[in-house]
Amino acid sequence: MKVLVAIKRVVDFNVNIRVRGDGSGVETNNVKMSMNPFDEIAVEEAIRMREAGTAEEVVAVSIGPAQSAETIRTALAMGADRGIHVLCETQTEPLAVAKLLKAIVEKEDPGLVILGKQAIDDDCNQTGQMLSALLGWAQGAFISKLAVAGGNAEVTREVDGGLEKVSIKIPAVVTVDLRLNEPRYASLPNIMKAKKKPIDQMSPDDLGVDVAPRMKILKVEEPPKRQAGVKVENAAQLVDKLKNEAKVI
Amino acid sequence: MSAYTAPLADMSFVINQVADLMGVAALPGLEEATPDLVEAILEEAGKLGSEVLAPLNRVGDQQGCVLENGVVRNPDGFKEAYGKFVEGGWNGLPFDPEYGGQGLPWLVSTAVSEIWCSANMAFSLCPALTVGAIELLTTHGTRELKEYYLPRLITGEWNGTMNLTEPQAGSDLGSVRTKAWAVDPSDAAISTFSGMGACYRITGQKIFVTYGDHGLTDNIVHMVLARVAGGPDGVKGLSLFLVPKVLPGAGGSLGKRNDIRNVSLEHKLGIHASPTLVLSYGDDGGAIGFLIGEEQRGIEYIFTMMNNARLGIGLEGVGIAERAYQHARAYAAERLQGRNVENPGGGSVTIDHHPDVRRMLLSMKARTEAMRALAYFSGSCLDKARRLPDPEDRLEQQALVDLLIPVVKAWSTDTGIDVANTGIQVHGGMGYIEETGAAQYLRDARIAAIYEGTNGIQALDLVGRKVARDEGRTVLALAATIKALDKKLATVSGDHNMAVIRGRLRTGVEALNHATRWLVETYPVNVAAVTAGAVYYLHLLGTVTGGWLMARAALAAEAGLAAGEGDLDFLRAKLVTARFYADHQLVGAAALATAFMEGGEIVATSGPELV
């Protein structure tokens, strides 16, 4: 079975996010960028499947600017076999990404597509679900456990009320949560090998997908600064404040 | 506890703009080291450093190592971290691919080692010592020894140690008493190792053996300096032996324990997580060792390995300085105290608003950057000295490496201590409290000025072997190269910062030339006066060479800014540190030259009774 993993280049989780001076978006110039942490977990899971013999090939796909090739290189250094880079200099919305991924799935014919449950930059949490709908495939979102056997994937989903175990037919789309695994560090020999692994580059046009945004961002602003709190003397005062100041009870 | 983030922007900048990665990657055998690969390597090393090694730095300091029933116990987490380090293949970075290494340039190894030193200096010593053992074995070991030991040392599955010092033999290795005698090859006890070459029995006691025992690996490969019975006194009688903790068994497996006993573990000022052993060899009749190279050439072999080892120690100075700087900067950006001196009516400000605190932070940053530049530059020269096609060019680079190594070792470790010390000062009273974490850097940094040849010994090596011996030829050639940068600096002297840097560098290099000429004239007639101030000369050479590399960095930054290319904030900051370095460090060059040339006399003419 072939496994396709979708990865996104995002602002590194350690970086303090700053809004651009003109309010047009988040500052990404000269900011450290890395692979979306959820996607690292997706890559790790795919590699473990190949190591366990349940998958034969792991293909890492990224959609984004020229530098996204570096993010694909990181996945290759972790152990993915080859990469596909859809070069796209403009911002892409989840629907466009899902359409592009659908076109790639149709070409590559994988048995499983693994995605991070969401990207830490826009926190959309939509791409995996949209992709599954477009493909008409089963989906398992927010999984913390995955076992593929026969024609099924047994997944454990992290839902609000606890854990939900479901069996889905493959081919399927799954999106991964934090507790699925702990991604490995790329080893030095693998970093060097990654340089020689192939990355196919293509454009949205090649895949026949219109990626023009359907939304217009009017303005991006910093959230209001948090005000210092006050200490209340007793419970009665607290209830009073909640009632009359915050008006929440 | 402070977080550590590898300063990847500065590392890449120095590697590419100052240390000539392009030139290094053009050398035969190093073609793979392209800028994008080097960047990927540094990034991943940075991750391992900050996520795995750095969090153990404090743990290691607090728990230290313990000797229990003759066995050394490492602090929590160190075994797992070492496992990740070995699994990642990091140990083999610069070594021969024939034995499982990655064959990358020393330049890259230098940068990666800096990350390990910053993240956890006590941890980094284990792989650092292994490098020395690998070098010795690669250059002088028999084919059989290499085949058995090299692959496991290169992966890091086993580690290497240096057993040189004895209680009466510190800087003066000529007084080593550990004995060795050849074993009859027909002796049944050693028949298993007949493939390893000449076999000896060893008895004696060694002290200060870094990572001399621990639980991180299944075997330890000790390199032991000993005197073969009947050999001459002094350093000339010393031979070098490979003495494994566990002897080779049948079919390449591990066999019996060798006759080596852990006597005790030293209690040290710093690097608590690095076990420093007293080892006793041959309590039970004689430890078994294999001769490295030929008898009575041990000291010569040790010296060929020293260059690399000393470069590594210099990096400890750089690494600790970087970590101390990051810690102090983070504290100063959060600590609210006092009012802005220009706006006393305003509210409290973080202490990085106070000019004196900013001066301290900038001095930490600027000196760290200058040291990094010099260390990487030396790493790059080392690659060229080994791989340039023309033998003449190789010799020239080797002379430069030989000149710079004592400077990297001593100047960077002295400066590292200074920077860590300033880090405490930035914290004020909190810096003196252990919980803050700033004090550990100073305690850890302190040893680097002492081991692998004290900094005083480095200065003697510099003025005697590296400058007086070739009558200043190499250092004057370097000074001429530094002077030649003046022309380039002149083209941008419309910029005030660049004009200042140019002026200070010119004065600095004049001081260096002046002091060098005095050294060459005086050494043959008044060696006491020269050696009395040798440390000043070493600092002078470090200060000026560092200033030269900072000026080159400033030129590259200026060009980037003019073209609007690259991370402009980083380039602007680089200009600031280069200018700061010129104003605060290069200005000291003239004073160092004066102290060197004029300060030796009073020392040379005053005997021990006047001290």
Side-chain angles (χ1 to χ4, degrees), chain A residues 30 185-186 188-189 192 195-196, chain B residues 32 34 44 51 88 102 567:
Chain A
N30 299 315
Y185 293 97
L188 179 62
M192 295 180 66
K195 229 188 124 183
K196 299 192 180 85
Chain B
E32 273 200 274
T34 51
E44 199 63 22
E51 293 171 16
Q102 296 300 327
D567 182 343

Side-chain angles (χ1 to χ4, degrees), chain B residues 118-130:
Chain B
S118 285
N120 195 327
M121 178 172 156
F123 174 92
S124 76
L125 294 176
C126 183
L129 268 297
T130 307

